[in-house]
Structure formats: structure tokens, C-alpha cells
Amino acid sequence: MSWLIWTPLIVLGALLVLVGLMLLLGRVAGGRYLRPIVVGLSKVPFLRRLFERMSNAALERENPELASAIRKLQRFGTPTTPEAAQRALARLTPGERRAYLQAAGEQAGVPQAPNRATRRNTTAAQPPAGAARGRKKRKR
């Protein structure tokens, strides 16, 4: 009978430990170790909706214009052609468009080569800017 008294305390203690572990993983290395856990949990439909709602609320607090632009673009759907993308961007206000394009530019940053030798090889493989491509013309 005494185990019935301890059961709620054990369950609450386990939940408290899990929440503390999630907070700790979220703080370490910018959430690097929490991200795979959230990706795995987001396969459950109600948790995915919960994570999306939390993400949208955080984005709304941080950058309201970007949040508004994303809501409008989600309503428009995923553009399949460049013309559809232009029509979707045309529906945004100038502030929303500026915020969206700035966020998209930050996401599409050029990845750096992992080490110096790889960077040298990529720059050596590219022809000089003024070099002629193809055959040279013969004088007649």
C-alpha cells in the first residue's frame, strides 16, 4: 500500500529530471545535442504541431515582420517555378520582403572549406578571371 503513495512522487521526479536534462542540453553548445532529440520527437504529429507553435511564437517575438512573411508564404504554398516564387514574394510588404530575403541570405551562406589545402585546391581549379575559355581565334 505504501508504494501507491510513492508512485506519483517517482513519476513527478522523473519528469523533473527529464525537463532539467532538456534544459541542460538546450544550453550546451547552442542546443547542438538537443536538436537530434527534437527531430526524433517531431515525428509524432501532436509534438510536431507543438514544436511548430513554439518556434512560431519565438520567431514572432524576435522578428515579427519575418514571422508575418513566413505565414503569408506558407499560405501561398511551396513555389515550384521561379515565376511562382516571384508571385509569392510580390504578396509581401517591403518590410516583410526585406526581412525574408535577409533571413534567406543568412541561411544560404557559402560553406567554407574544412582546411587550407582544400581551399587552395578549389581556388587552383578555378581559371583566372580574365582567361579566355575555348579556342583562340586565328589571324587571317
Side-chain angles (χ1 to χ4, degrees):
M1 189 69 170
S2 67
W3 61 273
L4 285 174
I5 296 171
W6 289 102
T7 303
L9 293 175
I10 292 172
V11 169
L12 287 174
L15 287 174
L16 186 64
V17 167
L18 285 175
V19 168
L21 184 64
M22 291 291 195
L23 289 173
L24 179 69
L25 288 175
R27 296 289 183 185
V28 174
R32 175 180 176 191
Y33 303 110
L34 183 62
R35 205 164 283 132
I37 295 170
V38 170
V39 168
L41 288 175
S42 67
K43 292 180 181 178
V44 178
F46 81 91
L47 287 176
R48 181 183 320 124
R49 286 191 298 270
L50 178 69
F51 290 142
E52 286 176 359
R53 200 173 306 133
M54 287 172 26
S55 174
N56 288 341
L59 185 62
E60 184 72 36
R61 282 190 306 271
E62 185 180 317
N63 193 345
E65 287 185 338
L66 179 59
S68 174
I70 289 175
R71 269 197 313 270
K72 286 181 182 180
L73 291 175
Q74 283 175 344
R75 270 187 258 134
F76 189 73
T78 305
T80 54
T81 62
E83 292 82 18
Q86 288 295 324
R87 282 195 305 271
L89 286 176
R91 292 176 181 237
L92 302 177
T93 65
E96 293 170 343
R97 189 177 308 119
R98 188 172 29 258
Y100 180 76
L101 291 176
Q102 182 180 9
E106 290 172 1
Q107 290 290 327
V110 178
Q112 288 290 328
N115 57 29
R116 188 183 306 171
T118 308
R119 287 194 301 268
R120 271 195 220 121
N121 288 339
T122 56
T123 56
Q126 296 172 353
R133 294 188 180 127
R135 294 178 161 216
K136 291 184 179 180
K137 291 184 179 181
R138 292 192 316 185
K139 292 184 180 179
R140 292 186 185 200

